[in-house]
Amino acid sequence: MSNFDLKKYLAENRLLREEMSEEEMIKKLESSLKQAAGDAKALENEPVSKKNQELNEAVGVTIAALVVGAPGILKVLGKISKAIGWIFGLNKDKEDGKKGNMVSRALEKAGNKLHHFYVKLIAKGLTNAYPSLYDRDRNKKIDATEFRNAEEDAEKAYAGMLIAAAIATGWSAAHAASSVVAGLKAAEIGVDIADVAAIGAKLARSA
C-alpha cells in the first residue's frame, strides 16, 4: 500500500507463526477492526482524485482502479489490511477448508457494525474522489440512489482489500474470496465471489 509494505508486514508479523483458537481469533479481530476507525473518518474529506475525469470517461472502470486513484482510500484500506491481515496467516497447519471456515466465522461474528462503518466511509470517500462518476445528475449533490451506487462499489473495495491481505499470506484469490464473502454475507454485505476475487488479486499486485 502507499505507506507500508503489506507483504513484508504479514510475512514478519509474529502472530502469523502462532496458533489461536476461534474464540481468541474473534476477540482479537474485534479489537483489530477498530484500529483503523480514526483514519477512516478522514475519508469524509477525501479530495477530488486527479483521475476523476479520466476514469469517468473510461470504459469498464474497475473498482481496483478507483481505489488506486484515490490515495486516501488506498491508505485506509491499507491500514485495515495491516490491522487484520494477521488472521489469514494463523494456524497454518490447519486444513484449508477448515481454516477458511474459521476465518469466515470470525469475520461474521467480530463486527457487523464495523464492516458497515467502513463501507459507508469508503463510499463517502469514493463520492468525494470521483464526483464525475457518482454525481450522475450533475447537481453537485449525491442523492440516496447515487450514494447507494457508491456503497455497492465500497463493499467490493472492502472485500477486495481483505482478499488482498489473504493473498499476501499465501492464500489463492479463489479461496480467499470464498471465505471473505461468506464472512461478510452475515453482515448483509453481498458481493459476487468472482468479482471481488479479481479485485483482490489486482489490489494484491499493487501492494
Side-chain angles (χ1 to χ4, degrees):
M1 294 294 96
S2 58
N3 62 341
F4 71 96
D5 188 329
L6 174 62
K7 293 179 181 179
K8 181 179 180 181
Y9 171 85
L10 294 174
E12 294 178 350
N13 193 323
R14 65 181 182 82
L15 283 171
L16 303 186
R17 298 188 292 274
E18 293 179 356
E19 289 291 312
M20 188 177 287
S21 70
E22 188 168 326
E23 183 178 350
E24 291 172 324
M25 186 186 295
I26 292 169
K27 185 176 180 180
K28 181 169 180 58
L29 185 56
E30 287 177 339
S31 175
S32 298
L33 274 169
K34 295 176 182 178
Q35 290 182 17
D39 295 286
K41 292 287 287 182
L43 292 180
E44 294 179 339
N45 299 308
E46 177 74 7
V48 175
S49 171
K50 294 179 180 179
K51 299 283 187 178
N52 174 48
Q53 198 60 42
E54 175 186 332
L55 292 180
N56 180 55
E57 295 172 353
V59 177
V61 176
T62 66
I63 303 301
L66 294 178
V67 170
V68 172
I73 296 174
L74 189 63
K75 179 179 179 180
V76 167
L77 288 176
K79 285 184 174 291
I80 295 170
S81 289
K82 184 176 180 179
I84 71 174
W86 55 268
I87 193 174
F88 299 104
L90 287 171
N91 305 338
K92 286 194 171 182
D93 61 333
K94 302 294 184 184
E95 188 270 327
D96 281 354
K98 181 178 179 181
K99 180 180 174 183
N101 290 337
M102 288 178 68
V103 169
S104 294
R105 287 194 297 270
L107 286 171
E108 173 185 340
K109 296 176 182 179
N112 288 356
K113 290 182 180 179
L114 279 167
H115 293 320
H116 285 284
F117 169 81
Y118 285 123
V119 165
K120 286 187 179 298
L121 285 174
I122 293 166
K124 179 62 175 175
L126 286 171
T127 59
N128 287 346
Y130 302 104
S132 295
L133 186 64
Y134 293 103
D135 181 14
R136 307 312 296 177
D137 296 335
R138 298 294 186 266
N139 62 359
K140 298 183 179 180
K141 295 180 180 179
I142 301 295
D143 63 28
T145 300
E146 291 166 337
F147 191 74
R148 181 55 198 152
N149 291 335
E151 280 188 311
E152 290 177 356
D153 288 345
E155 288 173 349
K156 295 175 184 178
Y158 182 69
M161 184 50 63
L162 296 180
I163 292 165
I167 291 172
T169 67
W171 288 45
S172 70
H175 181 208
S178 177
S179 297
V180 167
V181 169
L184 294 180
K185 185 177 181 180
E188 298 183 352
I189 295 177
V191 289
D192 180 77
I193 290 180
D195 200 8
V196 294
I199 294 169
K202 289 179 181 178
L203 290 177
R205 288 195 292 271
S206 73

